[in-house]
Amino acid sequence: MGRPPCCDKVGVKKGPWTPEEDLMLVSYVQEHGPGNWRAVPTNTGLMRCSKSCRLRWTNYLRPGIKRGNFTDQEEKLIIHLQALLGNRWAAIASYLPERTDNDIKNYWNTHLKKKLKKMQAGGEGDGGDDGGGGDAGGRTGAGGGKRPAVPKGQWERRLQTDIHTARQALRDALSLEPSAPQAKAAPPPTPPGSATYASSAENIARLLEGWLRPGGGSGGKGPEASGSTSTTATTQQRPQCSGEGAASASASHSGGAAANTAAHTPECSTETSKMASSGAAGAGAAPAFSMLESWLLDDGMGHSEVELMADVVPLGDPSEFF
DNA sequence: AATTAAATCAACCGCCACAAT
DNA sequence: GATTGTGGCGGTTGATTTAAT
């Protein structure tokens, strides 16, 4: 049954966001927290669709987003997770707390896909490039909420086996040894420091800077382009869902989900869990990885699978996978 | 220096799942 | 239990930037 568009097409602005709009959105979210996106356009006066606001926040303005080059480690992780999960970018992104699913998706489509193709042409079989291991159909699986038409017990079992596979894959991904198949074509590793981070506060400053600078603030791209390169700040990470002062209210934005169960909260399963891992662990990708590593290396496996699942949750709700 | 092709990235669109009514 | 609305996700597109000729 066709659903009407989320917002009136009439009078809704489209295209790149201007610094002014970004400011309005950021200040609104700082005040009220993310969520209730439908109310955002009316409350802020933004002539934007609620979806557009959410997207802008999630993919660009949200604190703790890392922009810029993907590290070798991130790249490998993405490759393996993609092979494992298919094109479930949100699920994959939950393992890369500072990357947005859109970013990962773009990176996959522009870089990694080609890279894998090249490698395959070179006589490698790495599970296929597009939707490779997981579900090539794209949305046939149940990433981020799409549930397969599989009885629950069955997908639980599948989950368990896939967790095993995941551990294996992640182990490979995290080992930087060139023996890994992908390493062959891997580009020179990006210096860890080269990554740029963004927080909303900085974004605002950046936006203002670009905005005030003569000839600087031209549409979304202008400040952004300059920003993403000039945001050398590599600021302290801020917990997204509950952290960052004003955004603290946000924890409950999704219908009052318990804030302290961030990683389990549906809303937080994608966004919060991203921050949860980075936020809890400190800053940067390294903590996230070390969590993964410790999880992987904790081969005691005395865990029952259930426990294992519980272990995984902070990194990303496994229920998203199936 | 100018033109064209390729690459990149932000944003939009449509679909789906879930929650609220 | 059925219907409706919202949020979230993945695919795709279009504009912009960069590299090659």
Side-chain angles (χ1 to χ4, degrees):
Chain A
M1 55 191 92
R3 188 161 60 80
C6 67
C7 44
D8 293 340
K9 298 270 182 188
V10 222
V12 172
K13 192 181 168 196
K14 287 167 135 191
W17 281 65
T18 65
E20 299 96 309
E21 289 175 314
D22 281 341
L23 270 172
M24 289 163 83
L25 180 57
V26 167
S27 53
Y28 177 85
V29 173
Q30 296 251 337
E31 204 173 328
H32 299 91
N36 195 12
W37 294 108
R38 205 172 86 85
V40 174
T42 40
N43 291 348
T44 59
L46 281 167
M47 306 296 283
R48 293 279 183 173
C49 170
S50 57
K51 262 186 178 181
S52 187
C53 294
R54 183 181 62 79
L55 214 62
R56 182 65 178 170
W57 171 260
T58 310
N59 287 335
Y60 186 74
L61 299 171
R62 173 167 67 87
I65 293 178
K66 180 178 172 184
R67 308 191 70 81
N69 296 336
F70 280 70
T71 66
D72 199 42
Q73 221 172 11
E74 287 174 315
E75 195 173 283
K76 287 185 177 186
L77 195 53
I78 292 169
I79 290 172
H80 282 267
L81 286 171
Q82 202 279 341
L84 184 71
L85 303 171
N87 296 354
R88 288 180 231 154
W89 306 117
I92 292 173
S94 70
Y95 284 89
L96 293 154
E98 300 153 328
R99 300 290 187 180
T100 68
D101 51 356
N102 204 38
D103 225 12
I104 293 172
K105 182 171 59 182
N106 278 335
Y107 190 66
W108 173 264
N109 285 330
T110 56
H111 290 87
L112 300 180
K113 220 161 145 182
K114 287 177 204 163
K115 188 178 280 188
L116 287 182
K117 211 169 236 173
K118 210 184 253 179
M119 287 192 316
Q120 277 183 327
E124 297 260 359
D126 199 285
D129 65 86
D130 210 351
D135 52 88
R139 314 192 69 186
T140 58
K146 282 66 186 178
R147 305 278 178 269
V150 181
K152 181 148 191 179
Q154 200 171 331
W155 75 254
E156 274 177 358
R157 204 166 310 147
R158 185 181 151 193
L159 171 64
Q160 290 170 4
T161 52
D162 277 1
I163 283 174
H164 269 304
T165 319
R167 290 171 67 100
Q168 199 65 45
L170 285 168
R171 198 189 306 270
D172 289 347
L174 291 170
S175 82
L176 288 173
E177 293 172 359
S179 60
Q182 285 77 14
K184 234 193 287 180
T190 314
S194 70
T196 56
Y197 296 78
S199 71
S200 63
E202 282 172 350
N203 282 339
I204 296 176
R206 199 178 73 208
L207 290 167
L208 282 172
E209 198 179 327
W211 191 16
L212 295 175
R213 188 173 300 150
S218 62
K221 209 93 182 187
E224 145 124 38
S226 66
S228 61
T229 50
S230 71
T231 315
T232 53
T234 70
T235 60
Q236 65 280 36
Q237 291 295 7
R238 294 181 173 136
Q240 186 265 336
C241 205
S242 61
E244 176 156 36
S248 59
S250 71
S252 61
H253 78 272
S254 182
N260 61 347
T261 58
H264 297 267
T265 318
E267 157 60 22
C268 291
S269 67
T270 50
E271 297 192 352
T272 314
S273 69
K274 295 174 189 175
M275 304 320 303
S277 55
S278 74
F289 280 123
S290 58
M291 286 177 74
L292 279 170
E293 282 171 305
S294 60
W295 171 57
L296 281 170
L297 298 174
D298 179 22
D299 238 346
M301 277 303 275
H303 310 297
S304 67
E305 295 294 356
V306 174
E307 285 171 328
L308 178 57
M309 285 169 66
D311 285 344
V312 180
V313 165
L315 298 170
D317 187 351
S319 67
E320 286 185 353
F321 299 161
F322 307 99

